Amino acid sequence: MTVISPPDFSAARFTAAPDARFVAAPADGVLPEGFFSTTNLPTYVKVGGRWLAPHMPRMDAGLFLDDRGELWAREGRLLNAGDMVAVGVAEDASEGIYVDSQAMNEGEVAAGEFRFMSSEVSREKPIDYSLMARVLLDERDRGGYIIWVTGPALVHSRARADMVWFIENGFVSALLAGNAVAVHDIESAIFDTTLGMTNAGLASTGGHGLHMRAINKVRAAGSIAAAVEQGIVRNGIMHACVRHDLPFVLCGSIRDDGPLPDVITDALEAQDAMRAHTARATMAIFLATALHAIATGNMLPSFSTDADGNMRSLPTICVDSSEFVVSKLKDRGTHQAFGVVTNAQDFMQILRLHVEREIAARARNVASSGIGELAGSSQ
């Protein structure tokens, strides 16, 4: 993991820089003319002679200074008339705003570290699953917040059991998805099909309507959690989320069937619900979903900050069978994303295999270390 050191604010360029200028928002949901538009890189604003980093950083937002002197990255739609918003276009500190575009390249890098930002997208590029597994295991063991953003191919590709394994073993802190992921997972739990297709890939009689029957059963129960408690949904991804009290956000779309009662159909409400998790994220995995990956990427900074104020790079993995999706994500500003061009089933099974190997290797190291200590104390 790259540790990101803040700039040396005692340097002349920072001490000589003016305080940032703030202008009142002219109306509810409207940013003032000339507002500074944020990126997902570490950003600092000079306020009262001090350089501050905004809370809840993200791209495509304004910089809002509240009445207590706290700085926030906030979407324009959430501002009220009179809120004080930073204005300026320069990112070099000359207007009191500094974007540290070199932070990710100049951080303290451990030997052999997986460099997410340095990778080009290519179907032919080798994937270091072992290193990816170590990063994932390290995040879990240090209490990181790992968000997974998934598409329905996760279920169709028969990677459902692997996703359940990652949930049950503590590698998922929040699941962000759409109606389809939950619908197809629940259809599989109830009817052992996805969109009417059996595990053998064969069409089933009346299969075209099974996803609607699954939706109807959950709607009758009142919620996904209620369907689990009533024994309607007995296995799968959503079952594991409920049983392990794992938060999930299901975002609606105009093409949704049903939808399930837990789906948030208001797009802005769904965005706010997702934002609550992206603001806490220390690692993100986007799996087989173009729209949800780009949407989440737009809310995600390229770094995370721990309780002690230390900044680290935020590992972001985007998995899709198409190079276009990964490239599009990076083109839209999530430049730290590491692209894995493969199908969901292969990725999940191989990653799980390497995580299990890493867990076993660490257990052996602990055991051998204990034996060594015991032998030393007996001499």
Side-chain angles (χ1 to χ4, degrees):
M1 188 70 62
T2 302
V3 177
I4 303 169
S5 300
D8 178 9
F9 288 118
S10 65
R13 64 182 298 193
F14 296 113
T15 58
D19 277 358
R21 191 164 65 92
F22 288 84
V23 174
D28 290 352
V30 180
L31 292 154
E33 284 295 320
F35 71 92
F36 183 85
S37 183
T38 61
T39 72
N40 65 354
L41 293 169
T43 299
Y44 304 89
V45 182
K46 196 171 185 180
V47 179
R50 298 171 54 235
W51 287 94
L52 305 178
H55 300 296
M56 298 187 70
R58 62 159 293 173
M59 68 174 79
D60 302 331
L63 293 167
F64 161 60
L65 188 68
D66 68 17
D67 293 339
R68 297 176 300 173
E70 297 284 333
L71 190 68
W72 302 81
R74 183 157 294 178
E75 298 91 315
R77 65 183 173 83
L78 299 177
L79 293 172
N80 298 314
D83 284 345
M84 302 305 293
V85 180
V87 295
V89 294
E91 299 180 350
D92 60 0
S94 62
E95 294 182 284
I97 301 172
Y98 179 67
V99 177
D100 194 354
S101 59
Q102 298 301 311
M104 302 303 171
N105 295 324
E106 295 176 355
E108 300 170 14
V109 183
E113 181 189 344
F114 192 73
R115 294 307 303 273
F116 290 88
M117 291 183 61
S118 64
S119 176
E120 295 299 323
V121 180
S122 172
R123 186 180 297 276
E124 299 178 357
K125 178 185 62 184
I127 306 299
D128 192 339
Y129 280 98
S130 295
L131 194 46
M132 203 179 301
R134 290 199 294 274
V135 172
L136 185 59
L137 194 55
D138 287 344
E139 280 303 305
R140 185 198 69 170
D141 290 351
R142 78 177 185 90
Y145 200 82
I146 308 167
I147 62 172
W148 290 64
V149 185
T150 66
L154 175 69
V155 182
H156 298 319
S157 68
R158 305 301 181 258
R160 182 169 172 262
D162 297 304
M163 187 67 201
V164 170
W165 183 88
F166 280 108
I167 292 172
E168 291 178 339
N169 286 277
F171 293 102
V172 185
S173 304
L175 175 67
L176 311 183
N179 179 64
V181 173
V183 168
H184 300 156
D185 172 67
I186 290 170
E187 179 194 338
S188 183
I190 298 174
F191 300 110
D192 204 26
T193 62
T194 56
L195 284 180
M197 184 176 65
T198 69
N199 287 330
L202 302 175
S204 59
T205 303
H208 69 281
L210 291 181
H211 71 290
M212 293 303 302
R213 300 186 191 285
I215 292 170
N216 198 53
K217 286 181 179 293
V218 176
R219 291 181 70 89
S223 68
I224 293 173
V228 171
E229 295 302 325
Q230 294 172 28
I232 298 169
V233 177
R234 297 176 181 272
N235 58 64
I237 297 168
M238 303 314 300
H239 176 273
C241 286
V242 172
R243 287 301 187 205
H244 291 272
D245 199 23
L246 186 81
F248 58 85
V249 178
L250 303 177
C251 303
S253 121
I254 198 169
R255 65 184 183 278
D256 283 344
D257 297 317
L260 290 166
D262 298 80
V263 171
I264 304 173
T265 56
D266 184 301
L268 296 182
E269 183 183 343
Q271 188 180 134
D272 289 342
M274 293 171 66
R275 181 93 158 95
H277 298 289
T278 60
R280 299 177 60 188
T282 61
M283 184 174 183
I285 299 175
F286 304 154
L287 185 58
T289 172
L291 296 179
H292 286 269
I294 293 170
T296 306
N298 286 351
M299 304 178 205
L300 200 66
S302 57
F303 59 95
S304 63
T305 305
D306 63 22
D308 296 324
N310 301 312
M311 291 171 48
R312 294 181 171 85
S313 59
L314 196 157
T316 305
I317 303 170
C318 181
V319 184
D320 202 276
S321 59
S322 168
E323 295 178 18
F324 169 80
V325 172
V326 183
S327 298
K328 187 69 172 177
L329 175 68
K330 293 167 76 75
D331 290 344
R332 292 294 295 270
T334 310
H335 51 78
Q336 81 273 13
F338 176 80
V340 178
V341 183
T342 188
N343 65 67
Q345 181 184 38
D346 287 352
F347 175 80
M348 293 294 281
Q349 290 184 350
I350 298 172
L351 181 62
R352 174 178 170 178
L353 173 65
H354 283 273
V355 170
E356 288 176 326
R357 286 178 178 173
E358 181 64 20
I359 291 172
R362 294 187 184 190
R364 287 194 299 271
N365 289 338
V366 170
S368 61
S369 175
I371 292 171
E373 291 176 2
L374 182 62
S377 64
S378 64
Q379 295 177 359

